[in-house]
């Protein structure tokens, strides 16, 4: 070869590599899967990544008890089944589960409120890991606290396992609305805004200047139809997580492909209409206003 | 060609916004492309980073794959990063079932060759045709080029592997210049679109 070989030492686990990974997922759908077979269906349908877990949120809700990190054998089975990135969930504050997931070679760790929290004060220090983290948020302050802890991607929480998009809409509107308000503040006001948001001033200032989070923002928690996914995109989500909505429906392969199409062509009602035809039964939903406070996952996280 | 070429970014999935910004900074009029009729209106095209399996499926589904293959054959300048490099390869070493590329560069590509996300890295890379010192290469679950045919020219190597290639007006990098704020690789592509060389 005639080119000069490049020599500098490579750097892994940088913020740019972690956040840049999430940039590659934009416009895509990340699907919850519980078996290698489901992972393949998701990949064939055009998912940009899968979330490997033992039970989808709807079953965690139904079964009750303590929900923990999944079995390493099960996660490895899914890693070996597909070539798209594989994410897996640790409990909030359970940094040892996160260490295990990093050792298994997952591509992204979701420090998730869907699992039972391990620490009711602290989240994991995500800067300590090479593997990037995604975290949920219900508002801008929560999102910025997670980013301060090292999260490289944020998803609005919604209410996982309900098949009801109402909380996803509430949380995404909240985050986007608070970002818009920051844009209108002058420099003097940003200090007080940081105090109110309970978030570091530097991040608040960065968001005010950028008009967006410094990391990718997806939506999660309750997306069950192609129109739901397109709704979240039109509201400003850069992509969507679909948990129970696919594999708790009548025809998962068809619904998965339809949600992928509607997520890409989120602003084209004709494509969304075509994608919505003959999908079979959607998952049975739960009305969030009858959910007791103790069963609301979105309240977990601090 | 006018001095401000119109360059599309294939906007099916991936880091489209970063490429639009980098192209604008390199003095091109940048527009997203999702439909065949939008493809017909551009002087050049960027295929962004993303998931190559997803981009491949969506391109076929929405009737973009064939028009794009034909446009590349007819000389449309194209630049692909990461997943885009995979899509421009004439051959993938380990394709997923049904994964078809657009082709355009006589090369064989290995997907995720540098490893999973934990192995993703940044390093400086010398790129032939880019003046002013090495560029920062951001490699994310990156592919490398296993081998090139006689018609393709190697533009950069890292650690003994080919990571940037061009063949005529089609170029590709394993890494992501659009994530760095250094627009020299995009300027090289805009120059290619503008001058036809």
């Amino acid at each position: 070869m005639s080119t000069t070989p490049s020599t500098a030492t490579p750097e892994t686990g940088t913020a740019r590599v972690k956040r840049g990974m999430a940039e590659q997922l934009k416009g895509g759908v990340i699907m919850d899967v519980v078996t290698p077979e489901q992972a393949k269906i998701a990949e064939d349908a055009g998912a940009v990544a899968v979330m490997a877990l033992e039970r989808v949120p709807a079953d965690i809700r139904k079964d009750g008890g303590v929900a923990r990190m999944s079995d390493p054998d099960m996660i490895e089975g899914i890693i070996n089944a597909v070539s798209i990135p594989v994410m897996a969930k640790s409990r909030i504050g359970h940094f040892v589960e996160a260490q295990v997931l990093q050792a298994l070679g997952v591509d992204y760790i979701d420090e998730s409120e869907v699992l039972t929290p391990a620490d009711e004060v602290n989240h994991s220090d995500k800067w300590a890991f090479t593997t990037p983290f995604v975290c949920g948020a219900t508002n801008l302050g929560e999102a910025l606290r997670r980013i301060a802890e090292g999260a490289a991607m944020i998803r609005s929480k919604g209410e996982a396992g309900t098949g009801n998009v109402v909380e996803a809409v509430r949380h995404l509107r909240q985050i986007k609305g608070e970002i818009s308000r920051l844009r209108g503040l002058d420099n003097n006001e940003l200090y007080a805004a940081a105090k109110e948001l309970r978030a570091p001033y530097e991040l608040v200032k960065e968001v005010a200047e950028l008009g967006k989070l410094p990391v990718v923002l997806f939506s999660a928690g309750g997306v069950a139809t192609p129109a739901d996914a397109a709704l979240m995109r039109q509201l400003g989500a850069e992509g969507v997580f679909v948990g129970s909505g696919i594999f708790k429906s009548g025809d998962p392969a068809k619904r998965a492909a339809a949600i992928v199409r509607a997520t890409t062509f989120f602003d084209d009602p004709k494509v969304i209409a075509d994608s919505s035809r003959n999908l079979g039964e959607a998952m049975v939903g739960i009305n969030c206003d009858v959910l007791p406070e103790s069963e609301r996952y979105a309240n977990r996280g601090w | 060609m006018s001095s401000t070429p119109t360059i599309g970014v294939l906007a099916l999935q991936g880091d489209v916004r970063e490429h639009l910004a980098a192209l604008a900074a390199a003095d091109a009029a940048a527009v997203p492309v999702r439909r065949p009729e939008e493809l017909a209106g551009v002087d050049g095209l960027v295929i962004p980073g993303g998931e190559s399996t997803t981009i491949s499926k969506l391109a076929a589904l929405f009737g973009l794959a064939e028009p794009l293959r034909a446009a590349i054959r007819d000389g449309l300048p194209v630049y692909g990063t990461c997943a885009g490099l995979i899509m421009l390869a004439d051959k993938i070493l380990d394709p997923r079932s049904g994964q078809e590329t657009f082709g355009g560069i006589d090369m064989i590509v290995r997907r995720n060759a540098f490893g999973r996300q934990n192995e993703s890295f940044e390093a400086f890379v010398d790129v032939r045709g880019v003046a002013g010192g090495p560029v920062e290469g951001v490699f994310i679950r990156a592919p490398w080029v296993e081998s090139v045919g006689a018609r393709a020219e190697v533009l950069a190597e890292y650690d003994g592997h080919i990571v940037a290639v061009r063949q005529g007006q089609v170029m590709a990098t394993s890494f992501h210049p659009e994530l760095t704020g250094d627009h020299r690789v995009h300027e090289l592509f805009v120059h290619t679109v503008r001058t036809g060389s």
Side-chain angles (χ1 to χ4, degrees):
Chain A
M1 300 292 168
S2 53
T3 50
T4 324
S6 308
T7 46
T9 324
E11 265 192 282
T12 58
T14 62
R16 194 149 64 180
V17 159
K18 290 173 168 180
R19 293 178 180 187
M21 161 76 194
E23 305 286 355
Q24 309 313 312
L25 302 174
K26 282 189 302 194
V29 183
I30 299 167
M31 302 182 189
D32 278 6
V33 297
V34 301
T35 64
E37 292 68 35
Q38 288 187 356
K40 283 188 194 130
I41 291 171
E43 183 176 50
D44 287 342
V48 289
V50 290
M51 179 74 70
L53 69 178
E54 272 174 354
R55 291 177 291 171
V56 294
D59 288 332
I60 292 174
R61 217 171 256 297
K62 199 173 67 189
D63 298 349
V66 175
R68 311 178 178 90
M69 177 188 77
S70 297
D71 185 313
D73 270 354
M74 176 268 167
I75 294 169
E76 278 178 353
I78 287 171
I79 287 176
N80 294 331
V82 293
S83 71
I84 54 177
V86 176
M87 302 184 169
K89 291 181 192 289
S90 77
R91 282 179 265 177
I92 289 172
H94 204 315
F95 51 86
V96 173
E97 284 188 347
Q99 290 165 3
V100 171
L101 295 175
Q102 172 164 289
L104 291 172
V106 306
D107 295 296
Y108 240 90
I109 298 168
D110 183 2
E111 188 181 24
S112 177
E113 71 282 2
V114 169
L115 304 185
T116 310
D119 188 324
E120 293 191 335
V121 178
N122 307 291
H123 286 246
S124 297
D125 168 16
K126 293 166 273 288
W127 297 111
F129 291 79
T130 304
T131 310
F133 278 72
V134 55
C135 288
T138 59
N139 57 52
L140 181 59
E142 196 176 3
L144 295 182
R145 287 193 292 282
R146 298 296 83 80
I147 294 167
E149 295 155 2
M153 178 179 186
I154 294 292
R155 53 175 175 74
S156 57
K157 282 181 178 172
E159 195 55 49
T162 61
N164 187 340
V165 81
V166 64
E167 296 298 309
V169 169
R170 188 193 317 280
H171 298 155
L172 191 62
R173 278 200 185 279
Q174 179 72 28
I175 293 168
K176 301 294 283 189
E178 287 177 296
I179 291 173
S180 298
R181 278 196 292 283
L182 280 189
R183 295 279 276 173
L185 300 185
D186 67 30
N187 282 340
N188 301 296
E189 294 169 313
L190 286 177
Y191 295 95
K195 196 171 85 177
E196 282 162 25
L197 289 167
R198 294 191 292 128
Y201 166 75
E202 286 71 22
L203 279 175
V204 171
K205 187 166 161 40
E206 189 177 359
V207 170
E209 283 166 3
L210 288 174
K212 63 183 281 300
L213 295 180
V215 302
V216 167
L217 172 63
F218 269 46
S219 176
V223 172
T225 69
D228 286 349
L231 173 66
M232 300 320 296
R233 290 278 276 132
Q234 287 199 27
L235 287 172
E238 298 181 284
V240 294
F241 285 82
V242 185
S244 319
I246 289 171
F247 290 98
K248 283 286 163 190
S249 74
D251 188 343
K254 199 168 175 189
R255 184 167 294 265
I259 291 177
V260 169
R261 283 199 297 276
T263 302
T264 296
F265 287 86
F266 64 95
D267 53 357
D268 187 333
K270 280 189 183 147
V271 175
I272 301 166
D274 280 340
S275 303
S276 305
R277 290 176 204 279
N278 298 314
L279 293 181
E281 289 289 310
M283 73 179 281
V284 178
I286 297 174
N287 286 320
C288 294
D289 49 7
V290 302
L291 266 188
E293 284 298 310
S294 63
E295 290 178 23
R296 287 176 177 259
Y297 297 156
N299 293 343
R300 299 166 168 178
W302 4 96
Chain B
M1 171 97 28
S2 70
S3 59
T4 304
T6 299
I7 300 183
V9 178
L10 190 66
L12 296 172
Q13 190 272 314
D15 65 341
V16 175
R17 188 180 59 221
E18 287 68 22
H19 275 292
L20 291 170
L23 287 168
D27 287 331
V31 294
V33 168
R34 285 185 302 178
R35 298 177 175 83
E37 58 271 27
E38 292 163 347
L39 179 63
V42 299
D43 304 316
L45 184 75
V46 166
I47 304 175
E51 276 306 312
S52 61
T53 47
T54 308
I55 292 172
S56 161
K57 275 173 214 303
L58 288 169
L61 192 65
F62 290 97
L64 261 170
E66 272 314 316
L68 185 46
R69 265 184 212 113
I72 295 171
R73 273 199 304 275
D74 294 346
L76 180 74
V78 184
Y79 170 41
T81 61
C82 196
L85 172 137
I86 295 170
M87 295 305 297
L88 289 171
D90 284 349
K91 189 171 187 304
I92 307 178
L93 205 62
D94 50 350
R96 300 304 292 182
S97 62
Q99 183 177 13
E100 297 207 6
T101 67
F102 305 133
I105 300 181
D106 183 7
M107 62 178 174
I108 301 173
V109 163
R110 185 185 290 275
R111 298 154 72 236
N112 304 137
F114 284 103
R116 303 187 67 83
Q117 176 59 19
N118 286 340
E119 285 84 54
S120 294
F121 64 97
E122 294 182 41
F124 285 97
V125 182
D126 281 311
V127 182
R128 178 184 283 187
V130 173
V135 302
E136 291 174 283
V138 181
F139 294 81
I140 297 175
R141 289 169 47 90
W144 69 48
V145 178
E146 199 76 17
S147 64
V148 293
R151 291 173 294 157
E153 177 195 3
V154 174
L155 296 183
E157 284 177 63
Y158 180 77
D159 201 20
H161 302 288
I162 301 166
V163 295
V165 182
R166 92 178 285 154
Q167 180 174 320
Q169 302 196 68
V170 183
M171 52 186 272
T173 59
S174 296
F175 50 91
H176 294 277
E178 74 278 11
L179 296 179
T180 64
D182 177 346
H183 306 305
R184 287 177 293 160
V185 179
H186 285 80
E187 283 163 6
L188 174 64
F189 178 61
V190 173
H191 177 79
T192 298
V193 174
R194 197 178 279 142
T195 62
S197 65

